[in-house]
Amino acid sequence: MENQGSKKSCCESVRDFFTSSKFLIYMGHALSTWGDRMWNFAVAVFLVELYGNSLLLTAVYGLVVAGSVLLLGAIIGDWVDKNPRLKVAQTSLIVQNSSVILCGILLMVVFQFKDLLQQFYSGWLLTVCYILVISIANIANLASTATSITIQRDWVVVVAGEDRSKLADMNATVRIIDQLTNILAPMLVGQIMAFGSHFVGCGFISGWNLCSMCLEYYLLWKVYQKTPALATKAGQKEDDQELKHLNVQQEAENGLKEVAQADHAEKAGCCYQMSEPLRTFRDGWVAYYNQSIFFAGMSLAFLYMTVLGFDCITTGYAYTQGLNGSILSLLMGASAITGIFGTVAFTWVRKRCGLIRTGFISGMAQLSCLLLCVASVFAPGSPFDLTVSPFQDMIQHLIGEPAPLPEAGPTPMTTLTTTMQSLVNGSTVAEEMDQALEVESYLSVSLLFAGVIAARVGLWSFDLTVTQLIQENVIESERGIINGVQNSMNYLLDLLHFIMVILAPNPEAFGLLIIISVAFVATGHAMYFRFAYKSLRSRLFLCCSPEQKTEARISSLPSVV
């Protein structure tokens, strides 16, 4: 009987977990990120194919997306704060998925009738289609930003309640889902486009988002029903109390009411309403600056100013150093695995050392691993050469002189174009380029990627630390706008790192970019160390008894002889 009871309790616990709000959030997040990763991977390939194997549309799309989040991050966050949670989540979900579906259908039309569209109005109709694709895709990205803020930065906190360990576990699980979908989703859609066509790929992504939208909508409603705390917000509670107070004192405030109405009519003017987004933008950044976690948030943003990641820049440089696509895919897989180790390490270290000290330890671990990247700049096989001016090509282009042909092989931008062409056309251009490259030694590039991969453990652990610090220290009524500004800061530093690469695109200058990147990472962690020292010192002072505080003040005074 006892065994049956234990088995029943075990079955009940399993059933309770799979029907809990926590698991439903995981399911909804997995569906959402899977669709996002498929779309983010596919849209770059689609834009390259549409514009004749050129990266122009992809670059314009990236600039529009980054600029939009940079300018509208605070406004999106403010909208999240001022509206009910369920309304925000459902609206963001519908807008995001509907935009992707519409964009996918438009891309299918363009792929099917591209030659015909080029004949109308001297090709301007096709150009309008390009503009529509980029605009709708940008709307989808903004809606995805709103979804990320409301679910990962707000709903997760409410579901976890006052249990900080549960919050840390949920944040780590969400990040593991991000890591897995970042690997598997592009692989799936890539295989569909390889064995089918781009037309089939667009149709698959549109169909996926349609089905996913319906299921995610249901999951959001179930989480909302199971968590009554989601139905109220701090700001809304205050508004209700103010309304009740006004109703009680309505008769005593008749004289002030006329003045308030006149003031409201004046503020309701056209100019006031037009300037409201600017005021929201200003107020958001001011509120972000006044937060106690300002330096912690800035430290996370500074980590985006780096070329030491698995983006198109590092991939292009790797091709110039003789690494082929097969090796790079294995390195990306290893990077994802170390990232998962970082999320697991975060929960383990936080339980033993506390949240703030976890960020300190993670920062030291990341910086220690990045020293391998600095060593790779001076190791055998490195193309680093300060005698080659990083601005030489730009200056010669501006003054009209022909630039000399590079001796060290193609530039990262050229290799990136070649890589995208091989991906789009299924050709072996990248393989031919790999055979043409002659590298004296692989020690430099080996040290570079060893440092990048090992640093992911500290990077993702540090990212989770700052994320939870923002969740715990920002008041409920400002979570949206503060996280919106944080996203804007991240995109700003990310834009700066692309500008840095544009100014120094040749492989000989990549070592300088590595050193600058490590310097920015070190500066970011220095900001966090300042925040950690100040926070731990204030907590230690609060824990002291009044007598100990008095002794500390007396000991700090200068002695008089």
Side-chain angles (χ1 to χ4, degrees):
M1 294 293 292
E2 294 181 358
N3 292 335
Q4 292 179 354
S6 62
K7 290 181 180 180
K8 184 177 179 180
S9 62
C10 181
C11 294
E12 287 180 351
S13 63
V14 172
R15 184 191 61 189
D16 292 341
F17 173 76
F18 284 109
T19 57
S20 64
S21 300
K22 182 168 66 173
F23 179 77
L24 295 178
I25 282 186
Y26 295 157
M27 285 292 297
H29 181 69
L31 291 171
S32 178
T33 53
W34 187 278
D36 285 346
R37 297 302 184 270
M38 285 198 306
W39 172 247
N40 291 334
F41 172 81
V43 70
V45 179
F46 293 155
L47 293 176
V48 170
E49 172 68 14
L50 285 177
Y51 208 68
N53 296 338
S54 171
L55 294 174
L56 177 61
L57 287 182
T58 306
V60 171
Y61 170 69
L63 181 63
V64 169
V65 166
S68 298
V69 177
L70 177 61
L71 296 176
L72 302 177
I75 298 174
I76 292 173
D78 183 67
W79 174 74
V80 171
D81 286 332
K82 291 183 178 179
N83 289 275
R85 287 189 173 96
L86 185 60
K87 177 184 176 181
V88 170
Q90 291 177 340
T91 303
S92 303
L93 175 67
I94 293 174
V95 172
Q96 177 190 358
N97 288 273
S98 300
S99 299
V100 173
I101 293 170
L102 180 60
C103 197
I105 294 174
L106 182 59
L107 284 170
M108 292 172 68
V109 173
V110 173
F111 279 125
Q112 191 70 19
F113 304 103
K114 182 178 179 181
D115 296 335
L116 185 61
L117 292 173
Q118 285 179 335
Q119 299 175 5
F120 287 99
Y121 303 103
S122 302
W124 281 104
L125 185 58
L126 184 61
T127 303
V128 171
C129 291
Y130 293 159
I131 295 173
L132 287 175
V133 167
I134 292 176
S135 301
I136 298 173
N138 183 46
I139 294 174
N141 183 75
L142 292 175
S144 176
T145 301
T147 302
S148 175
I149 291 174
T150 188
I151 300 299
Q152 298 184 37
R153 304 295 187 265
D154 187 29
W155 283 46
V156 170
V157 180
V158 177
V159 170
E162 300 296 329
D163 191 345
R164 295 187 176 184
S165 296
K166 183 179 179 180
L167 178 60
D169 293 337
M170 291 187 68
N171 286 331
T173 304
V174 166
R175 196 52 48 85
I176 290 175
I177 293 173
D178 290 339
Q179 292 287 335
L180 293 176
T181 54
N182 198 31
I183 302 173
L184 301 177
M187 290 175 58
L188 175 62
V189 72
Q191 294 299 317
I192 292 174
M193 289 190 295
F195 290 98
S197 63
H198 295 93
F199 183 86
V200 175
C202 292
F204 176 79
I205 293 175
S206 298
W208 173 275
N209 279 270
L210 178 61
C211 298
S212 176
M213 177 176 63
C214 299
L215 186 54
E216 288 179 59
Y217 194 95
Y218 171 76
L219 292 174
L220 286 175
W221 175 250
K222 292 298 293 183
V223 173
Y224 189 80
Q225 284 185 324
K226 290 178 174 292
T227 312
L230 290 172
T232 57
K233 275 188 175 181
Q236 292 175 349
K237 293 176 184 177
E238 295 174 0
D239 293 340
D240 294 339
Q241 292 176 358
E242 289 178 1
L243 288 174
K244 292 179 181 179
H245 184 68
L246 288 174
N247 290 330
V248 172
Q249 298 182 350
Q250 185 175 5
E251 294 181 357
E253 296 178 354
N254 287 333
L256 297 175
K257 186 177 181 180
E258 296 179 358
V259 178
Q261 288 178 349
D263 189 24
H264 178 71
E266 181 180 356
K267 289 184 177 181
C270 181
C271 295
Y272 184 85
Q273 292 179 353
M274 291 179 63
S275 62
E276 184 175 358
L278 297 178
R279 293 195 307 274
T280 302
F281 179 84
R282 178 202 62 193
D283 295 342
W285 285 85
V286 171
Y288 180 78
Y289 176 77
N290 292 328
Q291 294 293 319
S292 60
I293 45 84
F294 169 72
F295 281 103
M298 285 292 295
S299 67
L300 179 62
F302 264 61
L303 302 189
Y304 283 78
M305 177 64 178
T306 177
V307 296
L308 302 175
F310 282 91
D311 57 2
C312 56
I313 304 301
T314 310
T315 302
Y317 175 76
Y319 270 108
T320 66
Q321 300 306 298
L323 299 184
N324 55 32
S326 176
I327 296 176
L328 280 175
S329 63
L330 293 176
L331 293 176
M332 292 180 67
S335 174
I337 293 173
T338 55
I340 294 175
F341 285 159
T343 59
V344 176
F346 162 75
T347 58
W348 187 82
V349 176
R350 192 203 66 84
K351 291 179 181 178
R352 287 157 178 79
C353 302
L355 184 62
I356 295 179
R357 291 184 179 87
T358 300
F360 181 85
I361 296 171
S362 302
M364 293 300 297
Q366 184 186 9
L367 280 175
S368 301
C369 295
L370 291 182
L371 292 179
L372 292 175
C373 300
V374 177
S376 71
V377 177
F378 308 98
S382 173
F384 183 57
D385 187 1
L386 289 177
T387 60
V388 179
S389 173
F391 308 102
Q392 180 179 357
D393 295 340
M394 180 181 298
I395 295 174
Q396 290 177 341
H397 176 73
L398 291 175
I399 65 178
E401 295 183 3
L405 294 175
E407 298 179 358
T411 64
M413 190 59 68
T414 304
T415 54
L416 177 59
T417 305
T418 306
T419 306
M420 296 298 293
Q421 289 175 352
S422 63
L423 180 61
V424 172
N425 299 327
S427 64
T428 58
V429 180
E431 297 178 0
E432 295 174 0
M433 187 184 67
D434 292 339
Q435 296 174 359
L437 290 171
E438 295 181 0
V439 181
E440 296 179 359
S441 174
Y442 288 98
L443 179 59
S444 175
V445 70
S446 299
L447 287 174
L448 172 64
F449 281 97
V452 170
I453 292 173
R456 309 301 274 189
V457 177
L459 172 64
W460 289 115
S461 179
F462 183 80
D463 178 83
L464 285 169
T465 299
V466 177
T467 297
Q468 186 157 343
L469 283 171
I470 295 175
Q471 291 172 332
E472 292 181 359
N473 292 278
V474 176
I475 60 176
E476 184 179 351
S477 60
E478 293 184 349
R479 282 177 191 159
I481 195 168
I482 297 302
N483 282 284
V485 175
Q486 181 65 52
N487 287 340
S488 298
M489 282 297 305
N490 297 343
Y491 271 93
L492 175 61
L493 272 298
D494 192 50
L495 272 178
L496 291 179
H497 114 267
F498 279 108
I499 294 174
M500 180 176 65
V501 176
I502 292 174
L503 295 177
N506 49 329
E508 292 84 0
F510 195 79
L512 182 62
L513 302 185
I514 292 175
I515 296 174
I516 294 175
S517 299
V518 175
F520 267 87
V521 172
T523 303
H525 287 304
M527 292 180 180
Y528 182 82
F529 297 159
R530 182 184 184 278
F531 160 79
Y533 175 76
K534 185 177 180 180
S535 299
L536 292 175
R537 184 179 180 183
S538 62
R539 291 185 181 184
L540 181 63
F541 187 74
L542 290 174
C543 293
C544 293
S545 62
E547 293 79 7
Q548 292 174 331
K549 293 180 181 179
T550 304
E551 293 178 0
R553 292 192 186 99
I554 294 175
S555 62
S556 63
L557 295 175
S559 58
V560 179
V561 180

